[in-house]
Amino acid sequence: MKVLVVGSGGREHALVWKLSQSRRVEKIYAAPGNGGMKDLAETVNIKESNTVELAVFAQKEKIDLTIVGPEISLALGIVDEFSKKNLKIFGPTQRASVIESSKAFAKEFMKKNNIPTAGFNVFDSAIGAINHIRTASFPLVIKADGLAGGKGVFVCQNSRQAEESIRIIMLENKFGKSGEQVVIEEFLKGQEMSFMAIADGKRVIPLATSMDYKRAEENDKGPNTGGMGSISPAPEISRDLYNTIMNTIILPTIEGLKFEGKEFRGLLYAGLMITRIGPMVLEYNVRFGDPETQALLLRMKSDLVDLLEGSADGNLFDIPVEWSDEVSGCVVLTSRGYPGKFETGKTIEGLKRAKAMGVEVFHAGTILKSDGYYSAGGRVLNICARGTTLKDTMKRIYDAISFISFDNMNFRQDIGRKKSSEGK
Ligand code: AMP
Ligand code: GLY
């Protein structure tokens, strides 16, 4: 079969890599893709936001299955666009994607369906939000309502920081329309983890567990990013906790959405905080996590295409999903300054020597020129590996990284070593 992967980051490179191992897949296209995946996929110069042109391309090329990476394509209705043309596509409709594209909607939805989450208020004016902040207790968390690439969340220790966040989101409009509303919520303490499952509207197949490291600096300091690294499985998850997550969060979410006429087919990602009173939802995403997927797919033994097609067809019956017992990790190499301002266009050296260490190198923000790869984004490369112990696996990754260099290269040295986001 012919498949099309939409997106251009490390997650999409990992999806292409995994799909290339399927016995059923003969040809892979990636739109717009990136230079790093060119030996596995033919890249097509159509942006992820250009949903109409993507559907025209898929029809012309007789693509059997399209797999959507980024949230922006889903929020713009790529699935609806493809469905109009009877093209098979993995992902939720625009209506169902709203649990990621509006945090205010997601919070109200959870409240209505008794899905555990932090207490919250929603504001559509800076004045209202600031009045609330003046009488609130700290820490608290302020979130832009709409999509902000993982950068629209501010954990605030005092009213000065909180008012500053409101200024950035609502007065400077840093996130555009995404900041027209804010959610202000209670700060939760605990251990963070990501839980991903594939749904076909009714049935759900949970994937192996994983965890990402969101803060820019070591020891979970600095601003939130899209993710600086990941490991799979997530540490310390008991059978009881797993069942609680399925029964109190994942299944009620799929059922609640169906009840509202927002049937969910695709990947449901719940960002969770495991608190003393149990798991609570920090956020929903409606697509594969980045960089969790990179670590996760290294452990998947089954054919990914069966699972994605089953979801798209609304038929996830009898699809076995097997995982390696080994652990995996992923370290993200970034341009210094990310998630704020950063420079690009730096020559990348040492990729071949790094790969010779037995790691997978997934490209995120790179561009391939005639004389080699250059940095082209905030998150530049993902260095990933699988092994018997986390310690050895991470050592192999960091040893490989020591061969890679570009000007102002930055990365966290503690991925896999310290638990992420232990409450302060
Ligand atoms: P979100 O995009 O909503 O998952 O938020 C990004 C990150 O901010 C999370 O991964 C957490 O590290 C942190 N965060 C978000 N909400 C909360 C909360 N209510 N309590 C503590 N930390 C939070
Ligand atoms: N790593 C977090 C995300 O994909 O949103």
Side-chain angles (χ1 to χ4, degrees), residues 103 141 143 153 185-188 192 214 224 282-283:
K103 287 191 190 279
V141 186
K143 304 182 174 186
V153 174
E185 68 180 39
E186 185 195 345
F187 178 81
L188 299 175
E192 237 180 295
K214 286 212 172 62
N224 270 315
L282 296 177
E283 64 162 344

Side-chain angles (χ1 to χ4, degrees), residues 52 67 97 101 115 126 132 153 159 175 181-182 184 203 277 297 340 386 394 402:
V52 175
I67 296 129
S97 300
S101 58
I115 295 169
H132 174 79
V153 174
S159 61
F175 308 108
Q181 281 190 311
V182 290
I184 302 189
R203 287 163 288 254
I277 57 163
L297 291 180
R386 198 183 71 209
M394 297 315 300
S402 68

Side-chain angles (χ1 to χ4, degrees), residues 330-382:
C330 169
V331 175
V332 179
L333 306 184
T334 62
S335 303
R336 195 176 305 282
Y338 171 80
K341 279 204 190 98
F342 54 82
E343 288 177 28
T344 57
K346 312 291 183 191
T347 324
I348 302 171
E349 316 261 18
L351 291 178
K352 279 207 182 108
R353 288 186 71 189
K355 277 190 209 161
M357 301 288 294
V359 296
E360 291 300 332
V361 175
F362 296 126
H363 288 238
T366 71
I367 176 166
L368 179 60
K369 295 192 183 168
S370 57
D371 59 346
Y373 289 104
Y374 287 78
S375 65
R379 294 196 285 180
V380 179
L381 290 161
N382 305 152

Side-chain angles (χ1 to χ4, degrees), residues 52-333:
V52 175
E53 215 183 304
L54 286 165
V56 170
F57 171 82
Q59 195 166 42
K60 188 169 112 257
E61 290 301 326
K62 300 197 170 57
I63 301 290
D64 298 295
L65 177 65
T66 296
I67 296 129
V68 187
E71 59 274 22
I72 185 70
S73 319
L74 296 164
L76 289 170
I78 190 169
V79 171
D80 313 70
E81 194 62 44
F82 273 57
S83 302
K84 268 194 268 168
K85 292 187 153 54
N86 273 324
L87 292 162
K88 203 182 279 185
I89 183 162
F90 171 77
T93 58
Q94 189 174 38
R95 273 172 72 75
S97 300
V98 69
I99 55 166
E100 174 167 2
S101 58
S102 169
K103 287 191 190 279
F105 174 87
K107 295 295 288 190
E108 300 289 355
F109 170 82
M110 287 186 266
K111 192 168 157 190
K112 211 165 31 182
N113 289 281
N114 289 320
I115 295 169
T117 191
F120 69 100
N121 292 90
V122 178
F123 298 94
D124 57 12
S125 77
I127 292 287
I130 285 171
N131 280 339
H132 174 79
I133 286 165
R134 292 196 170 142
T135 58
S137 45
F138 288 87
L140 53 72
V141 186
I142 300 188
K143 304 182 174 186
D145 172 53
L147 300 180
K151 295 165 207 152
V153 174
F154 298 83
V155 177
C156 305
Q157 303 299 335
N158 51 49
S159 61
R160 190 184 48 75
Q161 286 177 359
E163 287 184 28
E164 172 68 8
S165 310
I166 295 297
R167 194 172 59 73
I168 294 170
I169 301 172
M170 299 193 103
L171 301 176
E172 288 175 7
N173 299 322
K174 180 155 180 218
F175 308 108
K177 275 190 162 310
S178 289
E180 283 178 357
Q181 281 190 311
V182 290
V183 172
I184 302 189
E185 68 180 39
E186 185 195 345
F187 178 81
L188 299 175
K189 282 189 190 173
Q191 168 78 46
E192 237 180 295
M193 70 171 278
S194 313
F195 197 94
M196 289 191 256
I198 294 199
D200 70 355
K202 302 169 280 299
R203 287 163 288 254
V204 178
I205 297 189
L207 303 184
T209 61
S210 59
M211 178 180 109
D212 76 339
Y213 292 71
K214 286 212 172 62
R215 299 295 194 97
E217 294 157 25
E218 270 116 41
N219 298 315
D220 295 323
K221 300 260 161 42
N224 270 315
T225 69
M228 298 293 290
S230 61
I231 56 171
S232 176
E236 292 164 33
I237 165 156
S238 65
R239 183 45 57 186
D240 268 2
L241 175 57
Y242 187 88
N243 290 339
T244 308
I245 294 170
M246 283 301 287
N247 294 330
T248 65
I249 294 171
I250 304 295
L251 295 171
T253 301
I254 299 296
E255 277 159 25
L257 286 170
K258 186 162 190 296
F259 185 76
E260 290 195 8
K262 298 186 171 73
E263 188 187 77
F264 191 95
R265 291 185 187 186
L267 189 134
L268 178 69
Y269 167 131
L272 305 176
M273 189 71 89
I274 312 302
T275 69
R276 245 176 299 165
I277 57 163
M280 300 179 92
V281 179
L282 296 177
E283 64 162 344
Y284 288 116
N285 293 322
V286 297
R287 38 83 192 164
F288 282 100
D290 185 348
E292 292 94 321
T293 300
Q294 290 84 315
L296 199 69
L297 291 180
L298 250 61
R299 296 185 53 227
M300 186 186 266
K301 290 204 220 158
S302 322
D303 192 334
L304 178 62
V305 98
D306 293 340
L307 200 57
L308 304 184
E309 191 178 39
S311 160
D313 285 341
N315 185 10
L316 273 179
F317 264 129
D318 289 334
I319 298 182
V321 191
E322 283 185 61
W323 300 95
S324 158
D325 290 334
E326 294 190 321
V327 299
S328 58
C330 169
V331 175
V332 179
L333 306 184

